[in-house]
Amino acid sequence: MNKKQILLDKTVQWLIENSADEFSLRRVASDINTSARMLVYHFGTRDKLLVEALSEIADQWMTGFKLNETTSTEQQIREIWHHTLSTKKALNLHRLSFQMWATGLATRSAIYQPFLKRVANDWIDTMTESFIRDGLAPFKAKVHATLIVSGIEGLLLQSMTDPNLPVHEAFEELIAKVSQT
């Protein structure tokens, strides 16, 4: 494993364990036993490091979904929601992800384009493939995947805005409605 990957892995772990509000090159560098200069050398800027780290986290979340071809898509989505996406541990990562998403859309900077593509397409494409494997026609599978991913993103945003909203119940209702069609 090269030095850049080691630093990226440590940054991902740091993001999982700490508040996104505390993220700075100096703070992360100090906590992972390197220098801010070394992070800049390998990643260029704070935002580039964040984008790479968030992409790595997205890959980790999707690995379980991609590898589990014996479980129905619906069950996989429920497992990812309950055991990964909706946990308190993931809350800071969602805040950071939405912040990077908004910044990328607002600035249209090339730095954010790979992250925006992943947010907009990769999860939908993976879920579409899984729905096709479950027997849905390709277009219907894409519609289901788009609806579920968009719904989950909205529910995550709502849960950060007001933690008292019944987002878990809304998630179950979303899955039930999509499953009926």
Side-chain angles (χ1 to χ4, degrees):
M1 189 178 307
N2 66 34
K3 181 70 173 175
K4 181 177 181 178
Q5 188 61 49
I6 291 168
L7 291 172
L8 182 59
D9 291 347
K10 288 182 177 184
T11 301
V12 166
Q13 193 58 40
W14 189 95
L15 281 168
I16 291 168
E17 295 171 358
N18 294 278
S19 170
D21 297 336
E22 301 170 12
F23 190 90
S24 72
L25 288 177
R26 285 193 175 112
R27 171 73 192 272
V28 172
S30 173
D31 288 353
I32 66 172
N33 297 319
T34 192
S35 67
R37 184 174 290 191
M38 187 61 70
L39 292 174
V40 169
Y41 172 78
H42 285 289
F43 299 98
T45 66
R46 171 191 179 272
D47 286 350
K48 286 181 182 177
L49 174 58
L50 276 173
V51 167
E52 284 198 47
L54 287 170
S55 293
E56 188 83 9
I57 290 165
D59 285 346
Q60 290 174 13
W61 285 347
M62 291 310 299
T63 297
F65 193 80
K66 289 179 183 177
L67 295 178
N68 194 351
E69 295 184 4
T70 59
T71 304
S72 73
T73 304
E74 181 182 327
Q75 186 57 38
Q76 288 182 70
I77 295 166
R78 279 193 166 93
E79 288 174 14
I80 288 172
W81 172 263
H82 291 294
H83 301 294
T84 305
L85 295 176
S86 68
T87 64
K88 289 188 187 235
K89 184 176 177 181
L91 184 62
N92 289 332
L93 295 174
H94 294 312
R95 270 195 195 104
L96 184 58
S97 180
F98 281 119
Q99 179 185 359
M100 299 302 285
W101 193 351
T103 302
L105 290 172
T107 65
R108 299 193 186 275
S109 169
I111 293 170
Y112 297 94
Q113 295 313 306
F115 175 73
L116 292 174
K117 180 190 176 303
R118 172 162 280 133
V119 169
N121 298 329
D122 289 0
W123 197 16
I124 290 172
D125 291 345
T126 299
M127 197 177 293
T128 298
E129 291 171 18
S130 188
F131 277 126
I132 291 170
R133 190 180 64 245
D134 288 351
L136 285 179
F139 183 75
K140 187 74 164 180
K142 186 78 151 194
V143 169
H144 275 56
T146 301
L147 178 59
I148 290 172
V149 169
S150 300
I152 287 173
E153 289 164 346
L155 290 170
L156 292 171
L157 187 57
Q158 290 299 328
S159 72
M160 290 183 284
T161 305
D162 183 353
N164 297 316
L165 290 173
V167 294
H168 295 291
E169 294 79 1
F171 168 80
E172 290 297 337
E173 185 72 19
L174 171 67
I175 298 301
K177 295 282 187 202
V178 170
S179 296
Q180 291 173 357
T181 61

